[in-house]
Amino acid sequence: MGDNSGKEQKAVLNEGQENEMEIFGYRTCSCRKALCLAGSILSLGVLPLVFYWRPAWHVWGNCVPCSLQEADTVLLRTTDEFQTYSWKKVTWVHLSTLSSTFGLTPGHPLIIDEDCIINRAIQKPDLKVRCIKVQKIRYVWNNLEGQFQKIGSLEDWLSSAKIHLKFGSGLTREEQEIRRLICGPNTIDVEITPIWKLLSKEVLNPFYIFQLFSVCLWFSEDYKEYALAIILMSIISISLTVYDLRQQSVKLHRLVEAHNSITVSVCERKSGVRQLESRFLVPGDLLILTGNKVQMPCDAILIDGSCVVDEGMLTGESIPVTKTPLPKTDSPLPWKTQSEVDSKRHILFCGTEVIQTKAACSRMVRAVVLQTGFNTAKGDLVRSILYPKAMSFKLYRDAIRFLLCLVGTATIGMVYTLCVYVLSGESPEDVVKKALDVITIAVPPALPAALTTGIIYAQRRLKKRGIFCISPQRINVCGQLNLVCFDKTGTLTCDGLDLWGVVPCDKNGFQEVHSFALGKALPWGPLCAAMASCHSLILLDDTIQGDPLDLKMFEATAWEMTVSEDDFHLKGVPAHAMVVKPRKPASQVPVEGMVILHQFPFSSALQRMTVIIQEVGGDRLAFMKGAPERVVSFCQPETVPTSFISELQIYTTQGFRVIALAYKNLEADHHTSALTREKVECDLVFLGLLILENRLKEETKPVLEELISAQIRTVMITGDNLQTAITVARKSGMVSESQKVILIEADETPGSSSASISWKLVEEKKHIACGNQDNYINIREEAHDNGKEGSYHFALDGKSFQVINRYFSSLLPKILINGTIFARMSPGQKSSLVEEFQKLDYFVGMCGDGANDCGALKMAHVGISLSEQEASVASPFTSKTPNIECVPHLIKRQTAFQITSFCSRIWPSQPSLV
């Protein structure tokens, strides 16, 4: 970026991210500053008040434009439709304090190496760093690239081999001190906002300033009773608002308070392992994880050993997740893109709890600090609460237009009053008073107090119903919702799963369904072995814990789980491995047990998991479990029954959740660590289908019928199977029996930048296809429903949504108008879908149980979480009742408040007529 001295230089901060901002460089001008000071005195404080309301004017008034390299002040502007301005002072961090301690000089090897952003930010020979702090994140000036860059995390371009080589032995004490000084402390500090600051911010609101002016005018005209009443209302209103904001500040402070006081073990190069307070951690530090029940104080990449982590803080579900070490490969690609496995499988996120560690070859579980402070997953969650995304509500836009009309009317009235009273020979004092009085009649001064009191009262009524609100400005829009999106599992359907049965498969095809209802055990065989071993369950305090699906599957086998003791010797089996074995009465099982040697954990992107097991005194096998369509693609074609698709549809159309199982024999000579996922997951033998039932909640159907009768659209967004989602939509009443469901499928053409899209009626399997062009779809002809509005619904999965969004963007709005069922949606796709609905001028509500719904809950106009986990703090509303009954209640209550709010705006106070 070139030097543009004397000219305003514009750059972009957080380019391509949600919180993207434009940044402009300015330099303070002494003459302008003196003029602004004089203006502040002469205007009796009005100018500073205007500068407070308009931050950009403050910068323009006190500074002159310059390049970012020379700037001592930066002006920030959001890139959204609001284009909100803020400004920050550029500060300096001096490394000279380390010169005496470590002999730090401009020629020191640690300073010369410009492979990382930290060293590129150090100005030589002064050894100082320019930085700004925006929304709790620190940015440093990169001298090499000429731009401000975020600090406090490892560089994204680092390869897996580089991470192992550079940070595998820890940092030296000198490196730690330099990084600590530049990156800042590893803390998520949310200070309790002082009452005086909350009070001043509320009082300096333009409405309250206008109210103060009005009250002074009324006192001068002897309207004492009305003025005192307004003062009393305002004091109550301001007190309630400040109290509410203070309570939220205290709650958020307590939520993150414990994070900053954790003691960790850090391995230092040359010095060995030492205990350290977590606030001293820096990116690149090597953590040694010992013991269980450890809270993660930062984001870290696991490089050695494995961990079982409770990510309830992030997902809303306290289900143990297995983390695997980052493989050490020679690829020069960035570490996040080196494997098809989701990179999150190697990351221990801040705020999550490590409930179990398992050492590998080095006998230590080691992790490299990836991000610290507000850069972490927990920090990002807290920042989303502290700095919520600005939203444009039609109600507020209309209110502003209405007030501008009132101001215009008042101005005309004031001019007319001036003319009348001047011509009638009134004294100048009376003329001014009467003219100003017209403004207070037209624009109601009691408006802010009335609205604030209404919002506080509405919050308290919701609280009595078990609905808690952390974003009061969203209350006003609840009554305007005309589309509500629902997650399926845990929201529309019950959380738990019941194992309905299993459909075995052999060379002759599918066999009879084996039902577990009568308590009859499944006969021994590969299918039974798969159910007993292909899971991510763990043993914690002698209790089996894990995913409910895995738990139900394992319990059905009537086997038990233990951990191998020191005296357990079996070739190729590590110490303290997980062992599953039949209970003693099950003597007909020919094996003593199975040892789980290695897991390739489940990933929503891959839709499968695989385990490698060793039979005690028997064979080494691999078992796979996952979405039927994915598992079949890894099986030998001759082992998959020809009736696979029809058999699968039998169960999915009844609303069952279906999981497929497969296996293969492995050579016992190979060490498990040498086997890659690609080598294991091929040429499998198909075993059969696992059928699980997910029942609708009792409240679901009546609530959806109530919303539909009120002409509020209902949409399902789920990560589950598409056919299962269609069935649940029909059972719940989201799609009536008389309405058609049109399935949309879109695929990218391999090896080219084109795509195709097809659609079919689910009942008739009739296909119509088109290429990479926008075609008109004659829905009424396809639906055969006499052109009746709303007689059809579109259903599609996440993959098709992504392809349509990319290649058929002009077709997407037409699909969304009648899109009702969206299945196999990732968390990011859920957020994108909500945003696309908002672009169509829908007021969107989102209701989820917190699992993978956090992004969509934040994106929606009204997000309602049915989970009380920490992840739900990001949702504007949280219901203590774990069903969707809260949705119509919220809409009805807030429609009443909206009427009150509207009346407050159109009923101006008229003290002069009393």
Side-chain angles (χ1 to χ4, degrees):
M1 192 172 294
D3 183 10
N4 299 320
S5 294
K7 296 181 181 179
E8 181 183 64
Q9 183 185 358
K10 183 178 81 170
V12 178
L13 210 63
N14 301 322
E15 189 169 0
Q17 296 180 24
E18 187 180 334
N19 57 343
E20 183 180 275
M21 289 184 179
E22 291 175 326
I23 180 171
F24 306 88
Y26 286 87
R27 185 176 61 251
T28 304
C29 176
S30 302
C31 295
R32 290 192 177 203
K33 198 169 183 179
L35 285 172
C36 287
L37 183 61
S40 300
I41 296 169
L42 293 173
S43 65
L44 301 176
V46 173
L47 188 60
L49 194 60
V50 172
F51 284 165
Y52 173 76
W53 292 334
R54 292 285 181 266
W57 294 7
H58 176 274
V59 175
W60 296 335
N62 287 274
C63 308
V64 292
C66 69
S67 67
L68 284 170
Q69 192 168 357
E70 295 178 330
D72 60 15
T73 302
V74 293
L75 182 64
L76 301 159
R77 183 174 68 192
T78 58
T79 54
D80 56 19
E81 59 181 295
F82 304 99
Q83 295 202 330
T84 308
Y85 283 96
S86 60
W87 62 274
K88 298 290 177 183
K89 292 292 288 184
V90 177
T91 57
W92 291 91
V93 175
H94 295 272
L95 301 184
S96 54
T97 53
L98 301 177
S99 300
S100 56
T101 312
F102 300 110
L104 204 61
T105 63
H108 196 285
L110 294 178
I111 303 296
I112 292 174
D113 178 23
E114 292 190 343
D115 195 32
C116 61
I117 295 173
I118 290 176
N119 290 351
R120 294 178 186 179
I122 300 172
Q123 287 191 9
K124 306 173 189 69
D126 302 327
L127 296 182
K128 58 182 183 179
V129 178
R130 296 175 72 235
C131 62
I132 55 174
K133 198 170 185 179
V134 182
Q135 294 185 351
K136 301 289 186 180
I137 299 291
R138 184 178 286 190
Y139 298 83
V140 296
W141 180 255
N142 187 326
N143 295 296
L144 204 63
E145 298 182 17
Q147 63 180 1
F148 281 104
Q149 288 187 319
K150 186 164 66 174
I151 201 74
S153 58
L154 291 184
E155 290 76 12
D156 289 335
W157 62 75
L158 290 171
S159 66
S160 171
K162 193 90 172 178
I163 289 173
H164 279 271
L165 179 66
K166 192 170 182 179
F167 306 109
S169 302
L171 300 174
T172 62
R173 189 71 62 88
E174 293 91 338
E175 286 176 307
Q176 286 178 329
E177 290 298 335
I178 292 171
R179 288 172 178 254
R180 199 168 290 141
L181 205 57
I182 296 174
C183 298
N186 173 40
T187 55
I188 301 177
D189 283 325
V190 179
E191 63 176 23
I192 298 175
T193 313
I195 292 176
W196 69 266
K197 190 178 283 188
L198 293 171
L199 190 61
S200 60
K201 190 176 180 181
E202 188 68 20
V203 168
L204 291 178
N205 185 294
F207 267 118
Y208 282 114
I209 296 297
F210 172 68
Q211 197 173 73
L212 178 64
F213 159 78
S214 302
V215 166
C216 293
L217 180 64
W218 295 336
F219 271 116
S220 70
E221 294 184 314
D222 209 26
Y223 295 138
K224 293 178 182 175
E225 293 85 356
Y226 188 78
L228 287 170
I230 292 296
I231 290 172
L232 184 62
M233 272 185 67
S234 299
I235 290 172
I236 294 171
S237 169
I238 291 170
S239 300
L240 287 172
T241 303
V242 169
Y243 173 78
D244 194 53
L245 291 172
R246 173 79 174 186
Q247 288 296 101
Q248 287 185 29
S249 181
V250 169
K251 283 179 184 176
L252 195 54
H253 173 78
R254 287 175 180 167
L255 178 68
V256 299
E257 190 178 17
H259 166 87
N260 303 320
S261 56
I262 300 173
T263 302
V264 294
S265 299
V266 177
C267 180
E268 293 179 358
R269 192 176 296 171
K270 301 176 184 176
S271 305
V273 180
R274 71 175 179 126
Q275 299 294 306
L276 201 68
E277 285 187 38
S278 59
R279 61 193 178 94
F280 293 117
L281 288 174
V282 295
D285 264 334
L286 185 64
L287 288 176
I288 305 299
L289 302 175
T290 55
N292 302 328
K293 300 284 184 181
V294 178
Q295 288 285 337
M296 284 301 297
C298 60
D299 287 354
I301 309 170
L302 193 64
I303 63 167
D304 199 3
S306 60
C307 295
V308 177
V309 182
D310 179 0
E311 293 189 341
M313 189 279 295
L314 297 176
T315 64
E317 291 184 350
S318 295
I319 295 174
V321 178
T322 303
K323 298 290 182 177
T324 57
L326 179 71
K328 188 177 181 179
T329 60
D330 296 328
S331 171
L333 294 172
W335 67 274
K336 288 184 179 179
T337 61
Q338 285 181 5
S339 171
E340 68 166 350
V341 179
D342 189 355
S343 61
K344 291 179 181 177
R345 280 291 170 190
H346 311 307
I347 303 175
L348 306 173
F349 291 104
C350 177
T352 60
E353 185 180 44
V354 178
I355 55 179
Q356 197 174 76
T357 58
K358 187 177 178 182
C361 305
S362 66
R363 298 187 179 179
M364 286 194 297
V365 178
R366 302 181 300 154
V368 175
V369 176
L370 176 65
Q371 296 179 133
T372 57
F374 281 94
N375 294 291
T376 62
K378 185 171 183 176
D380 189 52
L381 180 64
V382 174
R383 283 177 67 244
S384 69
I385 300 168
L386 291 172
Y387 310 101
K389 184 182 177 183
M391 303 195 75
S392 177
F393 296 134
K394 190 173 183 294
L395 178 68
Y396 294 155
R397 293 198 301 270
D398 291 346
I400 295 297
R401 292 191 189 107
F402 176 67
L403 285 174
L404 289 174
C405 290
L406 291 180
V407 170
T409 306
T411 304
I412 295 169
M414 187 175 70
V415 173
Y416 176 76
T417 304
L418 281 170
C419 295
V420 169
Y421 278 95
V422 168
L423 291 174
S424 63
E426 295 285 340
S427 65
E429 184 183 351
D430 287 341
V431 171
V432 172
K433 283 183 181 179
K434 295 299 181 184
L436 293 175
D437 201 25
V438 173
I439 299 176
T440 65
I441 293 171
V443 183
L447 184 60
L451 290 178
T452 305
T453 305
I455 286 175
I456 297 294
Y457 180 62
Q459 266 188 285
R460 304 213 166 180
R461 285 196 306 171
L462 289 174
K463 193 173 181 180
K464 288 178 183 177
R465 293 277 184 167
I467 302 172
F468 297 89
C469 174
I470 64 168
S471 183
Q473 68 269 26
R474 305 288 182 104
I475 291 177
N476 236 338
V477 82
C478 290
Q480 292 185 288
L481 291 182
N482 51 14
L483 185 148
V484 183
C485 302
F486 295 95
D487 177 40
K488 183 181 77 69
T489 309
T491 303
L492 298 177
T493 60
C494 296
D495 229 345
L497 291 164
D498 293 319
L499 188 59
W500 185 80
V502 65
V503 187
C505 170
D506 61 16
K507 292 179 181 179
N508 299 319
F510 287 108
Q511 305 301 304
E512 288 186 11
V513 177
H514 178 92
S515 176
F516 294 96
L518 302 175
K520 187 181 177 183
L522 185 68
W524 169 251
L527 184 60
C528 180
M531 290 176 62
S533 62
C534 194
H535 50 70
S536 58
L537 299 175
I538 63 165
L539 202 61
L540 190 64
D541 299 329
D542 295 326
T543 305
I544 300 173
Q545 295 186 12
D547 189 288
L549 186 152
D550 287 347
L551 209 52
K552 287 285 183 183
M553 180 182 73
F554 181 73
E555 286 172 352
T557 62
W559 281 41
E560 60 184 6
M561 182 182 288
T562 60
V563 176
S564 61
E565 302 295 337
D566 293 329
D567 58 351
F568 186 89
H569 297 294
L570 195 64
K571 185 181 178 182
V573 175
H576 305 289
M578 199 66 69
V579 180
V580 290
K581 54 187 180 181
R583 298 185 191 277
K584 290 181 180 178
S587 55
Q588 67 273 21
V589 178
V591 296
E592 294 179 32
M594 296 180 291
V595 184
I596 300 172
L597 302 178
H598 188 73
Q599 287 184 4
F600 296 106
F602 176 80
S603 164
S604 55
L606 302 178
Q607 299 179 359
R608 66 185 186 275
M609 77 164 291
T610 304
V611 296
I612 299 173
I613 66 103
Q614 175 69 55
E615 291 180 346
V616 178
D619 299 328
R620 182 166 294 185
L621 306 167
F623 292 105
M624 178 188 285
K625 174 184 93 235
E629 306 92 332
R630 294 295 293 154
V631 172
V632 164
S633 66
F634 294 98
C635 293
Q636 298 171 25
E638 61 272 16
T639 66
V640 181
T642 54
S643 60
F644 169 76
I645 294 175
S646 59
E647 189 79 13
L648 180 62
Q649 283 186 340
I650 289 172
Y651 299 104
T652 53
T653 51
Q654 295 178 61
F656 290 112
R657 185 171 179 182
V658 183
I659 301 293
L661 296 161
Y663 89 109
K664 71 182 288 188
N665 280 288
L666 297 174
E667 294 180 16
D669 298 337
H670 287 25
H671 197 277
T672 52
S673 60
L675 292 170
T676 62
R677 191 162 193 160
E678 291 75 19
K679 287 181 181 178
V680 175
E681 294 178 338
C682 63
D683 298 325
L684 301 173
V685 176
F686 185 74
L687 287 174
L689 301 173
L690 197 67
I691 315 297
L692 299 112
E693 189 175 13
N694 197 195
R695 295 189 181 93
L696 277 179
K697 290 183 178 179
E698 291 180 9
E699 303 83 6
T700 296
K701 193 167 184 177
V703 168
L704 292 180
E705 286 174 352
E706 185 178 1
L707 291 174
I708 292 167
S709 65
Q711 295 186 337
I712 296 172
R713 272 191 68 187
T714 55
V715 171
M716 185 193 301
I717 312 177
T718 177
D720 207 346
N721 175 276
L722 181 58
Q723 190 60 59
T724 303
I726 292 171
T727 306
V728 170
R730 286 206 181 277
K731 282 186 174 181
S732 64
M734 194 175 282
V735 176
S736 69
E737 291 300 324
S738 61
Q739 292 175 321
K740 303 287 184 180
V741 176
I742 299 174
L743 181 63
I744 298 177
E745 295 175 342
D747 290 294
E748 289 183 277
T749 306
S752 67
S753 57
S754 61
S756 62
I757 182 171
S758 65
W759 59 94
K760 66 178 179 181
L761 288 172
V762 172
E763 294 83 356
E764 298 180 11
K765 312 291 187 302
K766 182 180 177 182
H767 271 81
I768 303 98
C770 69
N772 187 12
Q773 55 185 0
D774 293 335
N775 283 271
Y776 175 72
I777 306 174
N778 193 336
I779 297 297
R780 304 191 190 287
E781 182 182 317
E782 292 303 318
H784 309 296
D785 208 292
N786 302 321
K788 184 183 175 183
E789 186 78 24
S791 60
Y792 55 89
H793 296 265
F794 287 131
L796 61 155
D797 60 18
K799 179 189 171 186
S800 296
F801 172 75
Q802 201 164 334
V803 172
I804 293 168
N805 201 9
R806 182 177 176 184
Y807 295 97
F808 304 92
S809 55
S810 61
L811 190 62
L812 185 61
K814 301 172 187 177
I815 292 171
L816 294 185
I817 290 294
N818 281 82
T820 302
I821 302 157
F822 298 85
R824 295 288 189 219
M825 298 287 280
S826 69
Q829 288 168 343
K830 287 184 180 184
S831 301
S832 298
L833 179 61
V834 169
E835 193 172 9
E836 291 298 330
F837 275 126
Q838 289 172 335
K839 288 178 184 177
L840 298 177
D841 289 332
Y842 280 108
F843 285 89
V844 183
M846 173 70 196
C847 185
D849 62 351
N852 303 322
D853 299 320
C854 293
L857 289 168
K858 285 192 290 184
M859 182 62 69
H861 290 109
V862 177
I864 309 164
S865 172
L866 303 185
S867 163
E868 292 188 67
Q869 296 284 343
E870 284 182 88
S872 67
V873 243
S875 175
F877 297 91
T878 301
S879 173
K880 288 188 76 174
T881 308
N883 60 58
I884 63 171
E885 278 183 325
C886 58
V887 176
H889 174 73
L890 190 62
I891 294 172
K892 284 187 282 189
R893 291 284 178 180
Q894 297 329 114
T895 302
F897 169 69
Q898 198 176 342
I899 294 168
T900 306
S901 176
F902 181 70
C903 291
S904 299
R905 287 179 168 91
I906 65 170
W907 192 267
S909 49
Q910 301 182 12
S912 57
L913 301 180
V914 177

